[in-house]
């Protein structure tokens, strides 16, 4: 295992046991976002933002391009372009006249001019294998070999802001500095070189039209849910499939991951035929050619001869990931947008029975004499509200039951794990996620879209409040030492006046 140290323009990896340097990367593309040098560290792979695209190492696939912008996004982009153009015209005029505009420094003008002449390319991702990469400097160039390089591909047109691997390390989520769309890639490696690896762009997770900086990305343990948190204090929950495709009732209403081929078997009637043949012959007859004992002689072989069924089979069967047809890109919108309470107070349950289990909460100030100051992302320091999210099993029964006994209703298996969100003010909130079929759908089937209902179930205050006994002063207010200190300060004030 390794220990990775990330600097602004350098990544250094050390052995976690001996702390000896294994390798380092200097060809990083710096990001102006919350993560100056974004990386994603999996169980074995390390992904980072590269500053150039080397064609000889480029993997097959990558970003399929951004979607067509909506009218709102077009208007916002046009307004920003006009503002940038007018600003540049003003700077050029002031430079010609020998004066500088108010509020603009020479460093800003020099940095902008250098940026326009910079040969660096934003939005490139390089994935290296930490076990097989050579010691020393890792340099992706035309003259270097591909030892240890797993994939090298374009992911965005803008600089990358944040990225993360799923628990298995096969999926990679990347975000750019705009924060409109998040891309989900499936990494399919090749033992020869990174140029033979395939990167399938499975999903584009569309957040919205306004800009936002991403600070945290988290996967569920079954890789069917992704939560992306921005500096606006909002956590966006997206449904995905580890193998791609449109999320629906069949894929996300079960507590377990369903097979990708199950819908094909059910729609073609192969499941009933397989069961009938198995009961009569006592053998296995797989609907996939090559898995049965004799596919040409199987009664199911004739059902796979039609062109439509064959195309469906080739799209569902990965086969060679570098050959067509590639998985189709799916655009997914968030099913839930959870906003953290912008307060320094604590979240406590309301008085009354069963309200805690129903997820009803109120905001309580930590001190009655002073109201809790409201903090909003627009008025906080730097306009940022830091949050982090993670999926896990429910712990609300532990916080509500003093006997530490889980009730039957609380021990049932949920479709989605609970989502824990912690804010920068030390409040940890457990949210229960309940996916449901779309209520406006005329008929519920396996392909029915989803909607989600969320509610907070429990909260824990992890930061010490002024009311804690450990923070109380050791003496009372009428103690002689405190009275003497107040008297000394008062006389010093009189002498100074």
């Amino acid at each position: 295992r390794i220990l990775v140290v990330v600097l602004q323009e350098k990544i250094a990896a050390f052995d976690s046991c001996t702390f000896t340097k294994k390798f380092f990367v200097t060809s990083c593309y710096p990001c102006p976002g919350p993560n100056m040098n974004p990386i994603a560290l999996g169980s074995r792979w390390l992904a980072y933002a590269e500053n150039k695209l080397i064609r000889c190492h480029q993997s097959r696939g990558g970003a399929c391009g951004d979607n067509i912008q909506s009218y709102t996004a077009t208007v916002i982009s046009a307004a920003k372009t006009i503002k940038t153009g007018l600003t540049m015209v003003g700077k050029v005029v002031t430079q010609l006249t020998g004066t500088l505009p108010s509020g603009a420094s020479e460093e800003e003008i020099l940095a902008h001019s250098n940026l326009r002449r910079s040969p660096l390319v934003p939005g490139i991702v390089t994935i290296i294998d930490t076990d097989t990469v050579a010691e020393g400097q890792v340099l992706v160039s035309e003259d270097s070999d591909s030892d240890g390089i797993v994939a090298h591909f374009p992911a965005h047109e803008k600089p990358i802001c944040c990225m993360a691997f799923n628990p298995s390390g096969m999926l990679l989520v990347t975000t750019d500095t705009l924060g409109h769309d998040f891309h989900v890639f499936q990494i399919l490696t090749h033992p020869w070189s990174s140029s033979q690896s395939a990167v399938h762009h499975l999903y584009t997770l569309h957040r919205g039209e306004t800009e936002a900086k991403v600070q945290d990305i988290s996967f569920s343990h079954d890789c069917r849910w992704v939560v992306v948190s921005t500096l606006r204090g909002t956590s966006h929950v997206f449904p995905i499939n580890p193998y791609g495709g449109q999320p629906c009732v069949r894929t996300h209403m079960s507590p377990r991951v369903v097979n990708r081929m199950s819908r094909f078997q059910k729609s073609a009637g192969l499941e009933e035929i397989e069961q009938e043949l198995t009961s009569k012959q006592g053998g296995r007859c797989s609907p996939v050619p090559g898995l049965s004992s004799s596919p040409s002689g199987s009664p199911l072989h004739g059902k796979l001869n039609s062109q439509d069924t064959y195309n469906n089979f080739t799209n569902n069967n990965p086969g060679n990931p570098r050959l067509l047809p590639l998985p189709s890109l799916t655009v997914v919108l968030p099913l839930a947008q959870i906003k953290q309470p912008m307060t320094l107070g604590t979240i406590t349950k309301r008085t009354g029975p069963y309200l805690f289990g129903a997820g009803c909460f109120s905001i309580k100030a930590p001190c009655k004499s002073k109201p809790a100051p409201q903090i909003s992302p627009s008025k906080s320091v730097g306009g940022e509200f830091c949050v982090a999210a993670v999926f896990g099993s429910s712990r609300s029964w532990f916080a509500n039951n003093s006997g530490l006994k889980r009730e039957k209703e609380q021990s049932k298996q949920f479709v989605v794990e609970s989502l824990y969100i912690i804010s920068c003010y030390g409040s940890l909130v457990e949210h229960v996620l309940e996916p449901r079929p779309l209520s406006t759908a005329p008929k519920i089937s396996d392909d029915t879209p989803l909607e989600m209902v969320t509610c907070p179930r429990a909260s824990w205050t992890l930061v010490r409040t002024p009311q804690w006994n450990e923070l109380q002063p050791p003496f009372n207010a009428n103690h002689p030492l405190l009275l003497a200190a107040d008297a000394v300060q008062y006389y010093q004030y009189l002498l100074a006046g």
Side-chain angles (χ1 to χ4, degrees), residues 93-306:
V93 172
T94 52
Q95 287 181 3
L96 293 177
T97 56
T99 59
L100 292 176
S102 59
S105 60
E106 295 181 357
E107 290 79 6
E108 294 178 355
I109 300 176
L110 182 61
H112 186 80
S113 60
N114 292 337
L115 181 62
R116 297 190 64 181
R117 296 193 300 266
S118 176
L120 304 182
V121 179
I124 308 301
V125 174
T126 298
I127 303 177
I128 59 177
D129 190 346
T130 59
D131 290 348
T132 61
V133 68
E135 295 184 358
Q137 183 178 4
V138 178
L139 182 61
V140 182
S141 63
E142 297 178 354
D143 300 331
S144 63
D145 53 10
S146 60
D147 292 341
I149 302 177
V150 175
H152 179 73
F153 61 95
H156 294 272
E157 296 181 356
K158 299 294 182 179
I160 295 176
C161 179
C162 185
M163 50 185 167
F165 281 109
N166 70 329
S168 65
M170 300 298 296
L171 297 181
L172 178 67
V173 176
T174 61
T175 66
D176 58 5
T177 54
L178 296 180
H180 297 164
D181 298 315
F182 317 134
H183 295 170
V184 180
F185 299 99
Q186 184 181 24
I187 312 300
L188 302 173
T189 62
H190 193 277
W192 186 7
S193 64
S194 61
S195 60
Q196 298 298 322
S197 299
V199 179
H200 292 170
H201 189 183
L202 299 182
Y203 292 99
T204 293
L205 311 179
H206 183 68
R207 183 195 64 86
E209 310 298 348
T210 58
E211 294 185 7
K213 297 180 180 179
V214 176
Q215 58 180 329
D216 182 69
I217 302 174
S218 179
F219 280 87
S220 62
H221 290 85
D222 57 5
C223 303
R224 290 189 299 172
W225 302 92
V226 178
V227 56
V228 182
S229 302
T230 64
L231 286 178
R232 296 176 178 268
T234 306
S235 298
H236 307 264
V237 182
F238 297 90
I240 65 171
N241 291 316
Y243 42 77
Q246 186 68 35
C248 58
V249 170
R250 187 189 69 87
T251 58
H252 285 74
M253 290 299 294
S254 172
R256 297 180 178 86
V257 179
V258 298
N259 195 344
R260 177 177 50 183
M261 297 289 292
S262 58
R263 187 174 68 172
F264 167 75
Q265 297 177 10
K266 185 176 180 180
S267 62
L270 303 181
E271 185 177 6
E272 293 80 0
I273 300 177
E274 181 181 4
Q275 294 177 357
E276 182 179 358
L277 293 177
T278 304
S279 60
K280 290 183 178 180
Q281 301 177 2
R284 186 186 69 168
C285 186
S286 174
V288 182
L291 296 182
S292 60
S293 58
S294 57
S296 60
S298 171
L300 303 181
H301 181 70
K303 292 185 174 291
L304 293 174
N305 290 333
S306 62

